[in-house]
Amino acid sequence: MDLAAWLRLTLVPGVGGETQRTLLKAFGLPEAIFAAGPAALAGVVGNDLATGLLRHDCAADIDAAMAWAAQPGNRLLTLADTEYPQSLLGASDPPPLLYAKGRIELLNRPALAIVGSRNATAQGRRDAEAFARALGDAGLCIVSGLALGIDGAAHRGALTSAAGTIAVIGTGADRLYPARNEALARDIVENGVVISEFPLGTPALAGNFPRRNRIIAGLALGCLVVEAAPKSGSLITARLAAEAGREVFAIPGSIHSPLSHGCHQLIRQGAKLVETARDVLEELRWEVSGVDAAAPVPGGGSDGAGEAQVLASLGDTPSSLESLAERSGLTPAELLAILLPMELAGRIAQLPGGLYQRLR
Amino acid sequence: MDLAAWLRLTLVPGVGGETQRTLLKAFGLPEAIFAAGPAALAGVVGNDLATGLLRHDCAADIDAAMAWAAQPGNRLLTLADTEYPQSLLGASDPPPLLYAKGRIELLNRPALAIVGSRNATAQGRRDAEAFARALGDAGLCIVSGLALGIDGAAHRGALTSAAGTIAVIGTGADRLYPARNEALARDIVENGVVISEFPLGTPALAGNFPRRNRIIAGLALGCLVVEAAPKSGSLITARLAAEAGREVFAIPGSIHSPLSHGCHQLIRQGAKLVETARDVLEELRWEVSGVDAAAPVPGGGSDGAGEAQVLASLGDTPSSLESLAERSGLTPAELLAILLPMELAGRIAQLPGGLYQRLR
């Protein structure tokens, strides 16, 4: 069965995301990989990995994952699924398989990441919650990492808005971490969605959190850092967001607060200083292009200035985000803010490889 | 007498700075202006101003100003005086006459402006004082406007450092304003210098403060804004500083503090976000080029990398700040930080018109 092959591909120890994507590129779907035989596999990934792939017995793990996916609200999303978050496809390293719990439709909504320190101040947590609520009310789904401090406050604020929230976790989707956020996690599963790229049972390992941060950055049009110490994980997320062409926003604070120093560092490096949710929306040109996306997807939808511009840039052949950016003069973040609602409204489609195509 | 002619030129009602400079340009020194006769004057500034200049009786005002200047510590500085602040000569509108009380030698030291709100918070005042002290200890003379709040705190901090402080006031030099800063003003006259371009007796008029701010900006290598409300006078000073090629620095603060919003606005417009005095010094490349200037002027002095670069750019003909900037790749602020100590050490001279020349 197809899904079992996806699981098998991702559950062999030592076969990481890069190898998985190399194999998918060479052979197509996972079933074709396992049908290709040892010589063909070895030709692509070398003898050791080929042997591991074919010999490793994942049957029990696959059964467990299938059983998990059969529970109400749980889903396995592969790169080939239409429900897979399209915003991740433009990145160089989308996870081949995502474990999701909750409202998976949120994964293709326009989103904004809000991240920050685990040891946030009370004011920082209040700010995170208020920004999340206001940006959620404006139609942006709020992405964060379910950590204590800023992350949790951002999820809480988003849960009171209409647009929902996405928690990207660095543990298995059956292990909601940290324990102190268990009630929040249950609330997110009910009213938002929790996703993980890590196999079930994966414990909290420091090495996995930077990979988790990459997903947070990739899912969102921009990344807002509320409070962060210098050299903290939030700054990594912000850097990943910038590298992926997303906008980075930072909230300033007192020069005497160590948790503002990371934000100040980002601002000096070019992040947008923001005082209000409106500052974020204006920078994303959200009023122009994105308000429609907050409402349920209509049959037709309005054809705003941004959409007309993108349709003109698209022409009749599938185009990458990069070439669209070049032709339209818009940033990748601005483009994504326009493309996602267009896709939801069925006016364009995203093809494998991150290419966009007009539908009518 | 020469000084009397300078006073006469600047004491005629209706004859502003621009007219004064037009006349100086046309006729040279003030004595030549008044010797030129009505027809020649009218040819340059029109009939009405020419008549006013020749007919207005300034004798009593001139006597009073000469008597003021004869008191210990008081000085009148004309554009032609070598003690006139050389940093103002590069601007388009240096005041032809300055009234100074105190240590006029400070007017040609490398300086940094620190400005901000009259209604500053206690933390803002502490920050202004601490930055002024640290930057003063690094050898920068601190320029401010003797107002309540940030200005006063900056002067106080500077007075505890070795480099001294300059108060630029918007009233006559015989009217130290505001009254609540009288003790501070006396301290500055003793250990720093107070200057004004306004005739003796000029009361506090709202219209004069922007002109005062222009002098603050012009005297300094850069302008640090500590706390400022949007649309406040401090932002005007910062804008004037930026227009004069000076660096602008701003201290961030809580998004919930209205007095940080002006600073945040400046940062969004390109001002450097600073958390420490070191940030300011690094931006000014002060460690490289300026530390010598803090010490008493030596006979020779070190010939640092910045100086060598400037000397090479200077060549053998007098050069303007603009052409030096073009040739050296340094900003005007960086250049001034290098030029001033070189001038103090007698290695270069500044000629009228803001041209710089090598001396040896």
Side-chain angles (χ1 to χ4, degrees):
Chain A
M1 188 203 156
D2 193 24
L3 200 51
W6 280 98
L7 282 163
R8 187 176 170 196
L9 176 65
T10 60
L11 288 173
V12 179
V15 177
E18 201 180 333
T19 307
Q20 294 166 28
R21 281 183 295 273
T22 304
L23 288 163
L24 287 167
K25 207 167 166 185
F27 298 99
L29 289 175
E31 282 163 318
I33 297 171
F34 294 106
L41 288 189
V44 175
V45 295
N47 255 328
D48 291 354
L49 287 178
T51 309
L53 269 165
L54 294 175
R55 291 220 185 132
H56 183 77
D57 181 7
C58 311
D61 290 340
I62 293 172
D63 286 349
M66 298 292 275
W68 178 88
Q71 289 170 35
N74 292 359
R75 266 295 293 278
L76 293 168
L77 292 173
T78 75
L79 270 177
D81 282 314
T82 52
E83 294 102 331
Y84 188 92
Q86 304 296 297
S87 50
L88 294 182
L89 295 181
S92 59
D93 51 359
L97 189 66
L98 287 174
Y99 298 73
K101 278 178 88 72
R103 298 171 56 200
I104 58 168
E105 70 272 20
L106 296 181
L107 297 173
N108 282 299
R109 295 278 171 81
L112 188 91
I114 299 184
V115 298
S117 174
R118 288 173 173 73
N119 307 307
T121 66
Q123 184 62 58
R125 291 194 302 272
R126 278 196 297 272
D127 289 342
E129 195 165 337
F131 272 79
R133 185 181 304 117
L135 292 166
D137 284 342
L140 286 166
C141 182
I142 303 301
V143 190
S144 196
L146 195 60
L148 298 175
I150 298 299
D151 283 18
H155 287 304
R156 280 188 192 91
L159 283 169
T160 66
S161 81
T165 191
I166 303 171
V168 187
I169 62 176
T171 56
D174 56 341
R175 293 200 171 195
L176 298 177
Y177 173 88
R180 275 170 62 191
N181 270 349
E182 202 195 325
L184 174 62
R186 275 201 306 267
D187 201 356
I188 296 174
V189 167
E190 201 71 31
N191 299 295
V193 61
V194 173
I195 62 170
S196 169
E197 63 176 306
F198 299 101
L200 297 176
T202 303
L205 301 170
N208 285 344
F209 287 93
R211 284 179 62 192
R212 184 274 306 264
N213 293 346
R214 196 190 68 231
I215 306 292
I216 294 177
L219 277 172
L221 303 169
C223 178
L224 169 64
V225 182
V226 178
E227 280 188 328
K231 298 179 186 168
S232 61
S234 305
L235 300 194
I236 296 175
T237 309
R239 182 171 54 76
L240 293 166
E243 285 172 3
R246 271 60 166 174
E247 295 281 355
V248 177
F249 307 97
I251 297 180
S254 165
I255 57 173
H256 306 288
S257 165
L259 286 174
S260 290
H261 291 179
C263 291
H264 294 161
Q265 188 182 319
L266 288 173
I267 292 166
R268 282 196 275 220
Q269 290 166 351
K272 296 290 185 310
L273 181 158
V274 292
E275 292 178 324
T276 64
R278 173 155 295 278
D279 291 341
V280 175
L281 296 170
E282 282 177 5
E283 200 64 46
L284 291 173
R285 301 197 195 174
W286 188 248
E287 289 188 302
V288 181
S289 60
V291 166
D292 287 340
V297 183
S302 75
D303 192 78
E307 292 200 8
Q309 188 179 1
V310 167
L311 284 171
S313 305
L314 259 176
D316 292 322
T317 49
S319 307
S320 69
L321 199 61
E322 287 69 31
S323 64
L324 275 177
E326 210 169 277
R327 277 182 244 149
S328 65
L330 299 172
T331 68
E334 289 164 355
L335 273 172
L336 285 172
I338 299 168
L339 290 168
L340 279 171
M342 288 174 77
E343 197 177 351
L344 292 170
R347 283 194 289 285
I348 59 166
Q350 192 178 8
L351 310 177
L355 299 177
Y356 291 88
Q357 185 169 40
R358 290 175 79 139
L359 288 183
R360 40 182 152 128
Chain B
M1 188 201 155
D2 194 23
L3 199 52
W6 281 98
L7 282 163
R8 187 175 169 196
L9 176 65
T10 60
L11 288 173
V12 179
V15 177
E18 201 179 333
T19 308
Q20 294 166 28
R21 281 183 295 274
T22 304
L23 288 162
L24 286 166
K25 207 168 167 183
F27 299 99
L29 289 175
E31 281 162 322
I33 296 171
F34 293 106
L41 288 188
V44 174
V45 296
N47 255 327
D48 291 354
L49 287 178
T51 310
L53 269 165
L54 294 175
R55 291 219 186 133
H56 183 78
D57 181 7
C58 310
D61 290 340
I62 293 172
D63 285 348
M66 299 292 276
W68 178 88
Q71 290 171 35
N74 291 1
R75 267 294 294 276
L76 293 168
L77 292 173
T78 75
L79 269 177
D81 282 314
T82 52
E83 294 101 332
Y84 188 92
Q86 304 297 296
S87 51
L88 293 182
L89 294 181
S92 58
D93 52 359
L97 188 67
L98 287 173
Y99 299 74
K101 278 177 88 72
R103 298 171 55 199
I104 57 168
E105 70 272 21
L106 296 181
L107 297 173
N108 283 301
R109 296 278 171 81
L112 188 91
I114 299 184
V115 298
S117 175
R118 288 172 174 72
N119 308 308
T121 66
Q123 183 62 57
R125 291 195 303 272
R126 279 196 296 273
D127 289 342
E129 194 166 336
F131 272 78
R133 184 180 305 117
L135 293 166
D137 285 342
L140 287 166
C141 181
I142 302 301
V143 190
S144 197
L146 195 61
L148 298 174
I150 298 300
D151 283 17
H155 287 304
R156 280 189 192 91
L159 283 169
T160 66
S161 81
T165 192
I166 303 171
V168 186
I169 62 176
T171 56
D174 57 341
R175 292 199 171 197
L176 298 176
Y177 173 89
R180 275 170 62 191
N181 270 349
E182 202 195 324
L184 175 62
R186 276 201 305 267
D187 202 356
I188 296 174
V189 168
E190 201 70 32
N191 299 296
V193 60
V194 174
I195 62 170
S196 169
E197 64 176 304
F198 299 102
L200 297 176
T202 304
L205 300 170
N208 285 344
F209 288 93
R211 283 179 62 194
R212 185 274 307 262
N213 293 346
R214 196 191 67 231
I215 306 292
I216 294 177
L219 276 173
L221 303 169
C223 177
L224 169 64
V225 183
V226 178
E227 281 189 328
K231 298 180 188 168
S232 61
S234 306
L235 301 194
I236 296 175
T237 310
R239 183 172 53 75
L240 292 166
E243 286 172 4
R246 270 60 166 174
E247 295 281 355
V248 178
F249 306 97
I251 297 180
S254 165
I255 58 173
H256 306 289
S257 164
L259 287 174
S260 291
H261 291 179
C263 290
H264 295 161
Q265 189 182 317
L266 288 174
I267 292 165
R268 282 196 275 220
Q269 290 166 351
K272 297 290 185 309
L273 182 157
V274 292
E275 292 179 324
T276 64
R278 174 155 294 279
D279 292 340
V280 176
L281 295 170
E282 282 178 3
E283 200 65 46
L284 291 173
R285 301 198 196 172
W286 189 248
E287 288 188 304
V288 181
S289 59
V291 167
D292 286 342
V297 182
S302 75
D303 193 77
E307 292 201 8
Q309 190 180 359
V310 167
L311 283 172
S313 305
L314 258 177
D316 292 321
T317 49
S319 307
S320 70
L321 199 61
E322 288 67 33
S323 65
L324 275 177
E326 212 170 277
R327 277 182 244 149
S328 65
L330 300 172
T331 68
E334 288 164 357
L335 273 172
L336 285 172
I338 298 168
L339 290 168
L340 279 171
M342 288 173 77
E343 199 177 346
L344 292 171
R347 284 194 287 285
I348 60 166
Q350 193 177 8
L351 310 177
L355 298 177
Y356 291 88
Q357 184 169 38
R358 291 176 78 139
L359 288 182
R360 40 180 153 130

